[in-house]
Amino acid sequence: MLGLIAPGCALLPSQLVLHTGMAVFWWIGPIIVLVAIPLLDWLVGEDGSNPRDEDYERLSHDRYYRWCTFLFLPIQLAGLIIAACMWGGHDLGVVDKVGLAATLGLVSGIGINAAHELGHRVERLERWLAKLALAQSGYGHFFVEHNKGHHARVATPDDPASARMGESLWMFLPRSIVGGFRSAIRLERDRLARKGLGWWNVRNNILQAWTMTAVLFGALVLMFGLGVLPYLLLQAVIGFGLLETVNYVEHYGLLRGRLPGGRWARCSPADSWNSDRLVTNIFLFHLQRHSDHHANPGRRYQTLRSTQEAPQLPAGYATMILLAAVPPLWRRVMDPKVRAHYAGDLTRANIAPRKRERILAAYGLAG
């Protein structure tokens, strides 16, 4: 239930400002995500425990964990409605409204993680709720691209959401955003074509998700005025920007092996960066046990495990996204870890093509 603190951040700003008189609390989202959680991760440390084999089935079918993700949605929506009311009013200055948008944007980005968990399920209700959770960020095509594109191509040069060694976050973001969008359109178009259906069809998963965004944003504009629209768009950009930054962290420099016939090997825990920091795992429904998630995408979040095979990040996601924002600092921390993961043989890593020769030469390796 502590995972619901994240959407609860959207409910806090107005009350904290009201009772303290401190306008800084409009920025409570960035304060919690970018300051408090990294500090708590450092203080609390790693989880260190895994579900036992004999508990797997019971955990998988325990509906308590499912309701934790379900409850994320009404709290997230309530926070957005309250924020829209305040954006449409005249009580806040522009800086305070931007701070509130930053808070809502981070909640929106974490909401994509809830959609990620729900979207992997086969149950019809959970898949619809995944699209609803994506409505606030306007990133509905993620529902298709993540499941059908990213999981099939992860840790290969063909995957726009797998960052390459030598590629900065600011180079990665446009490549991943545009590439993921194009891939989702192509995947859904091909799926519909196999069923003999055209693009403009009620069974189009992307159009369903985008329609939810249009209805949500349209309703908020009708209720609170056109002045809320810039802040709705700003929080959406922050939301999917957070998602793509986490994508950057999760697979930086990692490359799956090749089978004798030239095909990519099946994804293993060694093909995703793992982190077992307890506090961030609570907030993100164990997303940081990402290695197990990609090796076993059907597992529900409460059953994910941390394994010895998985390469380990030096800190939790909240800390790593701060490092990623400063490319020289990121490379100083992560490039040696990529090299160590491949026992010094960087020819086995996923390296940015334009920097490949330079990086290999810097480590005394032939191209």
Side-chain angles (χ1 to χ4, degrees), residues 33-34 169 242 245-246 249 316-325 330:
V33 173
L34 303 178
L169 172 65
L242 177 62
T245 302
V246 170
V249 169
Y317 281 6
T319 302
M320 298 308 295
I321 61 176
L322 293 173
L323 291 179
W330 172 265

Side-chain angles (χ1 to χ4, degrees), residues 15-91:
Q15 294 305 304
L16 288 173
V17 174
L18 175 65
H19 292 290
T20 67
M22 299 173 64
V24 70
F25 284 118
W26 297 117
W27 299 81
I28 189 65
I31 291 170
I32 291 177
V33 173
L34 303 178
V35 180
I37 293 180
L39 286 173
L40 287 171
D41 262 341
W42 177 67
L43 290 171
V44 175
E46 296 190 351
D47 185 341
S49 64
N50 281 327
R52 300 181 304 173
D53 291 340
E54 55 267 35
D55 294 331
Y56 178 80
E57 289 299 324
R58 180 182 61 82
L59 276 173
S60 294
H61 295 96
D62 190 336
R63 297 188 68 85
Y64 165 80
Y65 297 97
R66 210 168 302 183
W67 277 101
C68 288
T69 54
F70 291 174
L71 288 171
F72 196 104
L73 275 68
I75 300 173
Q76 177 185 4
L77 182 60
L80 181 63
I81 293 172
I82 293 170
C85 178
M86 307 200 77
W87 288 327
H90 302 288
D91 295 331

